[in-house]
Amino acid sequence: MSLNKEQQYKVFALQQPNRIVLDIYRILVTKNTVNQGKGLQYTFWQDDMEGLPIQMHILEVAPNSDYKILPFSGAIDRNGRGRLLKAVNTLGAKAAVNASYFDTSGWIIGNLKIDGEWLGMEDKARSAFVIADGKPQIMKDLAYNGSVMLPALGVKLHVKGINRERIAEDVVIYTHYFGPSTRTNSFGCEVRIKDGKVAEISKAGNLRIDKNSVIVSAHGTNAKILEQLQIGDRASVQQTLGDTVADKAEVVLGAGPMLVEDGKRNVRSVSEQIAGDIAYGRAPRTAIGVKKDGTVVILVADGRRTNSVGMTLDEVARYMIKLGAVSALNFDGGGSSEMVLNNKILNNPSDGNERAVSVGLGLFSKKN
């Protein structure tokens, strides 16, 4: 073999028989880290992934950094989809990546709490990025269970959704995060709960939402139950993830599957019922991990390109371990995978441009 330019290589010894091996990389390997100050650093890593090219963008947030890590809506001030770069510019984030799964209407697929307030739910037991008492961690087997308690009727209604479209036989909770109104039709019943009591009952749909109350919206047999209530009746919403730490957490950002647990690969696609188009094959990926010292590692890997083929979930797990993560979680990937830093898109989204996403995860100055 002849070489017409300088190449990267490594030399190592093997036994039985004894020999020296010269391993020449086909792909240029480069790793460039830039300190962003205030406990944040950014790394661009181009690697030879067992003969395949991969390009990764990595943020590392130190435990004592000047940044708080918070989810936000892609639509900025209400539930819905929007471009990450616009949201970052509007909200004033230093950096951000895409986060939760979603559907085309902006329906959040995953548990979501911001500042202790429930904004989305998932009743399948899946993993989540959690911040409790300021401590970031990855938690598994978090499944939402919510009930609307109506003691006047001796009834408990099972919550089937939060801040999403109401469908047949649904009981959906709406908060101010959803927008100014529920946007429902008249084929149901809605109740406003304020200060532990029924404050308003409506069969017209599209009830106004405010920050001081929640709306319970129901269809079918559940709507018939709500129609029996009277103004002033006691009513409340009880919600749990089945874990005391997660229930008290300031932030819960669900996605999945878990990739790394206790410093070892543990890709839990089957137990978390992750769809095959996510669980298998190489694709652009977004993931988050936590090091032993509490440093948060956020990775975006490009894919579906000649210079970056994407990763399997197992490969993401391997790289998160290389970066020092003792636990790690997969976020939404594919065309959604994106990283913004200093008002600039760093990676190459595989759609060719930004995809509108429902939830982002941002780094915000603690001074704001």
Side-chain angles (χ1 to χ4, degrees):
M1 184 176 88
S2 62
L3 300 175
N4 56 16
K5 63 179 180 178
E6 184 177 330
Q7 297 289 322
Q8 291 180 327
Y9 65 90
K10 63 182 177 179
V11 178
F12 54 95
L14 293 177
Q15 296 178 326
Q16 297 180 351
N18 293 331
R19 59 203 187 275
I20 298 294
V21 177
L22 173 64
D23 193 357
I24 300 174
Y25 290 102
R26 294 173 52 245
I27 299 158
L28 178 66
V29 177
T30 180
K31 198 173 184 180
N32 184 32
T33 298
V34 179
N35 187 353
Q36 300 291 315
K38 302 179 180 179
L40 175 66
Q41 70 177 28
Y42 161 70
T43 298
F44 171 75
W45 187 0
Q46 178 173 283
D47 200 12
D48 183 323
M49 189 176 62
E50 298 181 1
L52 296 172
I54 188 69
Q55 293 185 346
M56 294 164 284
H57 302 265
I58 301 148
L59 295 173
E60 295 188 55
V61 190
N64 59 350
S65 79
D66 287 355
Y67 297 99
K68 55 187 175 182
I69 304 173
L70 284 175
F72 59 87
S73 172
I76 301 172
D77 60 349
R78 65 188 64 187
N79 184 68
R81 298 172 63 202
R83 311 288 181 183
L84 198 62
L85 184 59
K86 179 181 178 181
V88 164
N89 289 336
T90 302
L91 296 172
K94 172 72 171 179
V97 296
N98 66 296
S100 300
Y101 299 110
F102 59 92
D103 74 358
T104 54
S105 71
W107 181 331
I108 298 167
I109 303 173
N111 291 306
L112 180 61
K113 284 173 67 180
I114 303 176
D115 292 331
E117 181 180 356
W118 294 88
L119 303 174
M121 58 79 72
E122 175 59 72
D123 57 9
K124 294 184 179 70
R126 288 181 173 166
S127 300
F129 174 69
V130 175
I131 301 177
D133 293 327
K135 179 183 177 182
Q137 56 195 294
I138 307 296
M139 300 185 68
K140 63 181 179 181
D141 296 332
L142 299 181
Y144 176 90
N145 190 338
S147 300
V148 180
M149 311 301 292
L150 305 173
L153 304 179
V155 171
K156 178 172 70 173
L157 301 181
H158 177 62
V159 176
K160 298 182 180 180
I162 299 176
N163 292 326
R164 63 156 173 79
E165 179 186 2
R166 186 191 70 200
I167 57 179
E169 296 298 327
D170 251 355
V171 176
V172 178
I173 303 296
Y174 291 101
T175 72
H176 66 92
Y177 179 84
F178 187 72
S181 68
T182 61
R183 304 200 297 268
T184 54
N185 56 34
S186 59
F187 301 107
C189 182
E190 297 185 333
V191 170
R192 183 185 309 279
I193 298 177
K194 183 177 181 180
D195 299 327
K197 294 182 179 180
V198 175
E200 185 177 357
I201 303 170
S202 174
K203 298 180 184 179
N206 200 30
L207 202 60
R208 176 183 57 85
I209 306 174
D210 61 42
K211 291 187 177 181
N212 301 313
S213 63
V214 298
I215 306 299
V216 178
S217 183
H219 176 269
T221 56
N222 293 307
K224 297 297 183 183
I225 293 172
L226 292 186
E227 290 172 7
Q228 300 175 45
L229 291 168
Q230 302 292 322
I231 301 297
D233 283 349
R234 288 188 297 124
S236 62
V237 178
Q238 296 183 355
Q239 303 173 98
T240 181
L241 288 170
D243 184 280
T244 302
V245 172
D247 285 347
K248 294 180 179 179
E250 309 95 75
V251 170
V252 175
L253 180 54
M258 176 176 277
L259 302 172
V260 177
E261 184 178 14
D262 297 328
K264 298 179 180 179
R265 283 181 293 123
N266 185 16
V267 181
R268 303 178 75 245
S269 299
V270 175
S271 60
E272 296 189 23
Q273 301 179 52
I274 302 298
D277 60 334
I278 298 169
Y280 306 111
R282 287 194 174 91
R285 301 286 185 179
T286 302
I288 190 166
V290 181
K291 295 185 179 183
K292 188 175 182 179
D293 67 355
T295 297
V296 173
V297 181
I298 304 171
L299 178 149
V300 169
D302 276 332
R304 299 171 184 161
R305 295 180 176 274
T306 56
N307 61 357
S308 190
V309 297
M311 288 179 165
T312 66
L313 292 180
D314 187 73
E315 289 166 343
V316 180
R318 290 175 183 271
Y319 274 89
M320 292 302 277
I321 291 172
K322 288 181 182 180
L323 291 166
V326 295
S327 60
L329 170 72
N330 185 62
F331 281 160
D332 189 18
S336 298
S337 284
E338 181 180 358
M339 180 179 287
V340 173
L341 175 64
N342 297 326
N343 299 320
K344 181 181 178 181
I345 301 171
L346 299 182
N347 70 308
N348 293 296
S350 64
D351 287 353
N353 49 48
E354 285 187 282
R355 177 181 292 181
V357 299
S358 187
V359 180
L361 183 66
L363 305 182
F364 299 87
S365 173
K366 290 179 180 177
K367 296 179 181 180
N368 293 341

